[in-house]
Amino acid sequence: MMRTRPLKVALLGCGVVGSEVARIMTTHADDLTARIGAPVELAGVAVRRPDRVREGIAPELVTTDATALVKRGDIDVVVEVIGGIEPARTLITTAFEHGASVVSANKALLAQDGAALHAAADEHDKDLYYEAAVAGAIPLIRPLRESLAGDKINRVMGIVNGTTNFILDKMDSTGAGYQEALDEATALGYAEADPTADVEGFDAAAKAAILAGIAFHTRVRLDDVYREGMTEVTASDFASAKEMGCTIKLLAICERAADGGSVTARVHPAMIPLSHPLASVRGAYNAVFVESDAAGQLMFYGPGAGGSPTASAVLGDLVAVCRNRIGGATGPGESAYAALPVSPMGDVVTRYHISLDVADKPGVLAQVATVFAEHGVSIDTVRQSGKDGEASLVVVTHRASDAALTGTVEALRKLDTVRGVASIMRVEGE
């Protein structure tokens, strides 16, 4: 039986994503009503600049007092798309206290204070959904915490930032340098005026924290995620990658240790074989590769940002939360029962590609090989070239810990025959 009283929705933020959420709620109103089992009414929109014209939104719905909006008491669902830590955190907890469930796209807040927000939702028996916080329109959060809830996930590895993928893809396909590719990304609107959050890996690290927490049933905060940006990746790195049959991507990697006793979460550039599914992800698209015991290998792919894709994820959560509201139930909350320790980056084991500037004379390779052996790092391949007293030595290792590799590089820098370490890059996906 169709419920006639509408479910009231408060929208916090009406920028690129918020305006699309409002538009879809209006243009798809009949479909949303049929899917939910009740009408959905936009009851208020909180903004910072009320004088801006917002097509399709009645002026009387617009307010600058977000706190008063979430405190009204007749709001069923609050949609938060303003981002940042405050006032978003206070507004969300206030919404719970006044009887509303929450749909959020706020990756930074969830990565930092997800546990506290889930606790507040549980205390007031309300929903907290956030599919849009990771990978835009790609269904990822719900499959991890619902579809794969009966499986054991061992690894989540993916491209979760469209800006960085666009830049690296452009460098790979055209031979452009980092700055040239960044300038094009900015001109096309893929990069912000200040791209730091993207290119230094902060955005991806927040998403990695969320994904690791869900995948491993463990609380993982932003501070637990190792982060390394991509601003030092060069055209010569891509040339080396191509010689190995690889390309370079900025990856978010969440792993369960082989013994199952701990987890790691990290973001950094890495070489991946061209045969790996993630290598073919082009432009500003995102893709996440999931490995589990029973399901095996799965990949989720699609647009990872933008107003319409992100709004699609928000609306999907809105439908789910509204259905729960009608049924007098709540969906899955935080699952952190495993409480596994998060290991430091030094414990991570992977392969490495190291490029050294060395003296072009006999015995150099033997000296370098000895240093690797002394630190327990096994060499897979070596390539040396040079002339006129200068040479380049490229070493690809077998799997080794980050701590062992760090010790190796420190020792290499002390050799008189090593003029410098040109680059160090991890090799993933094998």
Side-chain angles (χ1 to χ4, degrees), residues 119-141:
D122 290 344
E123 179 184 354
H124 297 284
D125 197 27
K126 296 295 178 287
D127 275 324
L128 173 62
Y129 276 47
Y130 42 91
E131 185 68 65
V134 179
I138 304 171
L140 185 59
I141 300 298

Side-chain angles (χ1 to χ4, degrees), residues 234-320:
T234 65
S236 62
D237 290 327
F238 274 100
S240 294
K242 287 181 179 179
E243 290 178 358
M244 292 178 59
C246 294
T247 188
I248 299 172
K249 300 291 186 182
L250 185 75
L251 298 178
I253 304 173
C254 312
E255 290 181 306
R256 188 189 299 269
D259 63 4
S262 64
V263 299
T264 58
R266 51 197 166 103
V267 169
H268 54 72
M271 294 182 180
I272 58 172
L274 294 175
S275 58
H276 194 282
L278 290 176
S280 61
V281 178
R282 311 302 297 269
Y285 275 72
N286 284 190
V288 177
F289 202 71
V290 178
E291 301 176 28
S292 67
D293 277 359
Q297 297 180 333
L298 307 168
M299 192 169 88
F300 301 84
Y301 169 85
S308 293
T310 306
S312 172
V314 170
L315 267 294
D317 278 351
L318 179 62
V319 169

Side-chain angles (χ1 to χ4, degrees), residues 37-308:
V40 180
E41 174 188 312
L42 187 59
V45 182
V47 300
R48 286 184 298 175
R49 293 181 287 274
D51 296 333
R52 178 180 295 177
V53 175
R54 293 173 172 86
E55 186 177 348
I57 298 176
E60 61 268 22
L61 295 180
V62 177
T63 178
T64 58
D65 194 343
T67 301
L69 180 59
V70 300
K71 282 184 173 182
R72 274 177 38 171
D74 65 337
I75 299 297
D76 294 288
V77 184
V78 169
V79 174
E80 183 272 309
V81 288
I82 56 178
I85 305 302
E86 287 291 358
R89 174 171 48 199
T90 299
L91 291 170
I92 289 174
T93 55
T94 301
F96 291 140
E97 292 166 1
H98 287 79
S101 290
V102 172
V103 172
S104 176
N106 196 331
K107 54 188 172 287
L109 178 57
L110 288 159
Q112 178 172 306
D113 289 319
L117 295 179
H118 275 292
D122 290 344
E123 179 184 354
H124 297 284
D125 197 27
K126 296 295 178 287
D127 275 324
L128 173 62
Y129 276 47
Y130 42 91
E131 185 68 65
V134 179
I138 304 171
L140 185 59
I141 300 298
R142 196 169 296 132
L144 287 177
R145 72 176 186 175
E146 296 182 34
S147 304
L148 296 173
D151 206 344
K152 179 184 178 184
I153 297 173
N154 297 308
R155 196 174 202 226
V156 178
M157 179 173 76
I159 299 162
V160 295
N161 183 277
T163 300
T164 55
N165 199 58
F166 178 89
I167 293 170
L168 292 173
D169 182 38
K170 186 61 62 173
M171 293 175 70
D172 185 27
S173 60
T174 69
Y178 166 75
Q179 189 60 50
E180 182 183 351
L182 172 59
D183 290 344
E184 182 172 350
T186 304
L188 292 172
Y190 291 126
E192 301 286 347
D194 180 0
T196 302
D198 294 324
V199 300
E200 294 294 351
F202 291 101
D203 175 84
K207 295 170 181 176
I210 295 169
L211 291 174
I214 296 170
F216 306 131
H217 304 277
T218 291
R219 287 178 178 168
V220 179
R221 300 181 73 252
L222 182 58
D223 291 345
D224 296 321
V225 181
Y226 172 84
R227 178 195 56 78
E228 186 179 312
M230 47 152 289
T231 57
E232 300 301 317
V233 177
T234 65
S236 62
D237 290 327
F238 274 100
S240 294
K242 287 181 179 179
E243 290 178 358
M244 292 178 59
C246 294
T247 188
I248 299 172
K249 300 291 186 182
L250 185 75
L251 298 178
I253 304 173
C254 312
E255 290 181 306
R256 188 189 299 269
D259 63 4
S262 64
V263 299
T264 58
R266 51 197 166 103
V267 169
H268 54 72
M271 294 182 180
I272 58 172
L274 294 175
S275 58
H276 194 282
L278 290 176
S280 61
V281 178
R282 311 302 297 269
Y285 275 72
N286 284 190
V288 177
F289 202 71
V290 178
E291 301 176 28
S292 67
D293 277 359
Q297 297 180 333
L298 307 168
M299 192 169 88
F300 301 84
Y301 169 85
S308 293

